[in-house]
């Protein structure tokens, strides 16, 4: 499998200098470089943004800004990406990467608790009053934050997305733990399993899990 991934990566569009820099700095300045989305997933997300014609994107879990940079880099000039990150110690690295990639004018970084920020964004969109202005709805939501809260995120963002929009959820294979028998009983694994089951049973969407990296659930809102 390692040889296959190496071959695939060698035949994908190169990630470019800014993403090279973010990847390198993630290894140097953090202890969790494994959390980086990486070249293959980043390129897939870039392509999904382009073929969907997305103009507004919401990301839950910025980490060091790799995936946000990938998506923002192909947004139209009037496009916008909101990205949410809990760890304020990463802010300088994130913003520096956005500037190097030339996407700083398209991206707004929100530091703080993800659920609290979502509640605020929902209010700003007018969802608390019933329904949002369609121009404020997101085209793509990327979920890659606290694995213990995936179902809550799904419920919070669902009506923030336009019909036909995409939800991308990362780490849904969770190192293969979701397939183990007996199933591990840690909170992360149980929540990821619950999330995958919730999505597959939801008649409002259609979805497929791609075995890319740690699993990416691609969900289309009908």
């Amino acid at each position: 499998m390692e040889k296959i991934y190496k071959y695939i990566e060698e035949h994908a569009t190169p990630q470019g200098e800014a993403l090279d820099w973010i990847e390198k700095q993630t290894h140097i300045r953090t202890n969790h470089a494994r959390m980086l989305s990486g070249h293959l997933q980043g390129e897939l997300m870039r392509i999904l943004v382009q073929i969907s014609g997305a103009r507004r994107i919401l990301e839950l879990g910025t980490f060091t800004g790799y995936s946000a940079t990938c998506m923002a880099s192909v947004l139209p000039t009037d496009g916008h990406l909101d990205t949410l990150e809990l760890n304020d110690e990463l802010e300088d690295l994130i913003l520096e990467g956005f500037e190097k990639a030339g996407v700083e004018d398209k991206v707004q970084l929100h530091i703080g608790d993800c659920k609290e920020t979502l509640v605020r964004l929902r209010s700003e969109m007018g969802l608390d009053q019933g329904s949002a202005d369609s121009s404020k709805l997101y085209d793509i939501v990327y979920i890659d934050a606290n694995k213990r809260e995936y179902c809550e995120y799904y419920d919070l963002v669902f009506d923030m997305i336009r019909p036909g929009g995409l939800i991308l959820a990362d780490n849904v294979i969770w190192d293969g733990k979701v397939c183990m028998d007996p199933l591990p009983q840690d909170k992360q694994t149980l929540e990821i399993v619950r999330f995958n089951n919730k999505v597959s049973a939801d008649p409002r969407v259609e979805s497929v899990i791609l075995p890319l990296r740690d699993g990416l659930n691609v969900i289309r809102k009908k």
Side-chain angles (χ1 to χ4, degrees), residues 4-19:
I4 291 174
Y5 268 95
K6 183 177 180 181
Y7 178 87
I8 294 171
E9 191 163 20
E10 288 172 349
H11 289 79
T13 301
Q15 63 184 5
E17 291 183 8
L19 292 172

Side-chain angles (χ1 to χ4, degrees), residues 34-50:
R34 185 172 178 270
M35 292 168 56
L36 195 77
S37 295
H39 180 197
L40 295 181
Q41 187 165 317
E43 185 59 25
L44 173 63
M45 293 166 70
R46 273 180 13 96
I47 292 172
L48 287 174
V49 171
Q50 292 180 92

Side-chain angles (χ1 to χ4, degrees), residues 142-198:
Y142 177 47
I143 301 175
D144 190 20
N146 189 340
K147 311 310 168 192
R148 301 177 185 86
E149 299 179 342
Y150 264 36
C151 288
E152 291 181 84
Y153 297 152
Y154 184 78
D155 291 337
L156 282 167
V157 305
F158 197 84
D159 56 358
M160 299 172 74
I161 306 167
R162 67 167 174 82
L166 298 176
I167 301 173
L168 308 175
D170 200 13
N171 303 114
V172 294
I173 293 177
W174 202 234
D175 283 331
K177 292 180 181 180
V178 296
C179 305
M180 290 182 179
D181 187 13
L183 185 70
Q185 295 299 296
D186 61 279
K187 292 181 180 179
Q188 293 96 327
T189 300
L190 291 176
E191 178 68 359
I192 293 295
V193 168
R194 191 163 77 95
F195 173 80
N196 289 335
N197 290 340
K198 181 182 181 75

Side-chain angles (χ1 to χ4, degrees), residues 29-30 63-64 85 87-95:
R29 295 161 65 174
T30 79
F63 188 40
T64 55
E85 175 56 44
N87 188 353
D88 60 358
E89 293 182 354
L90 294 173
E91 184 172 6
D92 289 344
L93 172 54
I94 294 167
L95 295 178

